[in-house]
Amino acid sequence: MRHVIALDVGGTGMKAALVAQDGALLHQTRRATGRERGPEAVVEGILDFAAELSAHGAEQFGEPASAAGVAVPGIVDADRGIASYAANLGWRDIPLRDLLADRLGIPVALGHDVRTGGLAEGRIGAGQGADRFLFVPLGTGIAGAIGIAGRVEAGAHGFAGEIGHIVVRPGGSPCPCGQRGCLERYASAAAVSEAWAQACGDPDADAADCAKAVASGDPNAVRVWQHAIDALADGLVTALTLLDPRTLIIGGGLAEAGDTLFTPLRKAVGRRVTFQKLPTIVPAALGDTAGCLGAGLLAWDLLTTTDGTEVTP
């Protein structure tokens, strides 16, 4: 069976899959990145992991993988195939595409983790059928993927979609990026966890606990939650004013709160729009498989010309 290798590299763990041409996940596995052993060990771990997947695919399906796709965090130069910088992994300027291509002997595509997940959500997930979408995962931080006609826009320098660093509260909380008042300092899962832990006096409380307390009517939780919703709505309205997406896809850990998030968020965004067209606001559909599925799409794209004709690697 023809298949590709898909790797989704995170700060602490890696998810991998063998993906068929119809998007089916033929084989899935995970392992730690081993970042405590340093960036060189992380890179070697990625190469070894990919090689093991290649061997498994050849044995299981009777032929080697046709291509590979890999999604990584941080700053990514996808055109040159370089993982430029990732604070969590400690690497700089790693020619990961070429290293993997040399190890595997097949074409390799490299992508940014959020944009790659957004590609999957746009093509086969919650944004399927939308010609313009914005994917915003709310996790430890906040990023975004701008979808246009089946692809995701990287920008001139690979920084497109960094909605988490829109300033929504000028002069507010300092952000590691160097600004003050960035959206992710108020509306990320990490920010909600921090605010709720302080409000309830439990240092171990997190955003999920806050959502449960909101659902039960706790007024302190409602206050913390609404503070985050208001900041998020401010950032999203700025983004939709600039981008005019047809569909706004919200994912990440905070989206797991379901209607506790989406009902007030839709109302808050609706109150803020004036002349703008209100997009459909929907939860992400693919969960933590989005990165792998997106990496698989990147790999299959390498094997298809612009007119849709399949090519042989």
Side-chain angles (χ1 to χ4, degrees):
M1 179 179 289
R2 199 168 184 218
H3 62 280
V4 297
I5 295 168
L7 275 168
D8 179 17
V9 180
T12 58
M14 295 185 282
K15 296 183 285 288
L18 299 177
V19 185
Q21 197 159 8
D22 63 359
L25 297 172
L26 305 174
H27 170 72
Q28 297 181 71
T29 184
R30 301 178 182 228
R31 70 171 49 171
T33 58
R35 65 177 181 174
E36 69 280 356
R37 293 182 286 120
E40 293 82 7
V42 171
V43 173
E44 194 58 38
I46 293 170
L47 298 178
D48 289 344
F49 198 18
E52 290 173 20
L53 285 160
S54 178
H56 178 85
E59 180 180 352
Q60 191 75 19
F61 304 113
E63 62 177 291
S66 299
V70 58
V72 298
I75 300 170
V76 181
D77 186 338
D79 290 338
R80 296 169 58 215
I82 294 174
S84 301
Y85 175 70
N88 286 340
L89 298 175
W91 64 29
R92 287 183 181 272
D93 299 324
I94 304 296
L96 195 54
R97 182 182 64 192
D98 290 348
L99 290 172
L100 278 164
D102 289 345
R103 177 70 70 93
L104 301 174
I106 55 176
V108 175
L110 179 70
H112 179 272
D113 57 351
V114 173
R115 288 195 289 271
T116 301
L119 178 68
E121 284 288 353
R123 285 198 198 170
I124 60 177
Q128 190 171 5
D131 56 343
R132 299 288 191 280
F133 70 87
L134 177 62
F135 170 56
V136 181
L138 308 173
T140 303
I142 299 178
I146 302 165
I148 304 172
R151 65 182 182 85
V152 172
E153 174 59 44
H157 307 97
F159 296 157
E162 289 291 347
I163 184 175
H165 297 289
I166 289 176
V167 174
V168 295
R169 300 291 180 264
S173 299
C175 179
C177 79
Q179 300 185 116
R180 300 184 71 93
C182 288
L183 175 60
E184 71 174 39
R185 297 299 301 136
Y186 298 90
S188 63
V192 174
S193 295
E194 182 180 347
W196 178 234
Q198 183 174 358
C200 73
D202 179 359
D204 296 323
D206 61 14
D209 297 323
C210 185
K212 292 174 185 175
V214 170
S216 68
D218 185 308
N220 279 334
V222 170
R223 175 181 53 79
V224 168
W225 196 255
Q226 192 60 51
H227 185 64
I229 292 288
D230 287 340
L232 181 58
D234 287 342
L236 291 175
V237 170
T238 297
L240 68 88
T241 301
L242 290 171
L243 302 172
D244 188 27
R246 196 172 305 279
T247 303
L248 179 55
I249 306 166
I250 307 296
L254 217 56
E256 294 176 8
D259 288 344
T260 301
L261 174 72
F262 285 93
T263 298
L265 179 61
R266 290 184 181 113
K267 290 178 180 177
V269 172
R271 287 195 301 268
R272 285 163 170 77
V273 298
T274 53
F275 66 90
Q276 306 95 329
K277 293 294 185 181
L278 189 65
T280 302
I281 303 175
V282 298
L286 302 176
D288 70 354
T289 64
C292 266
L293 288 167
L297 290 171
L298 290 178
W300 282 115
D301 284 353
L302 287 176
L303 305 174
T304 307
T305 62
T306 53
D307 62 2
T309 304
E310 287 187 31
V311 297
T312 303

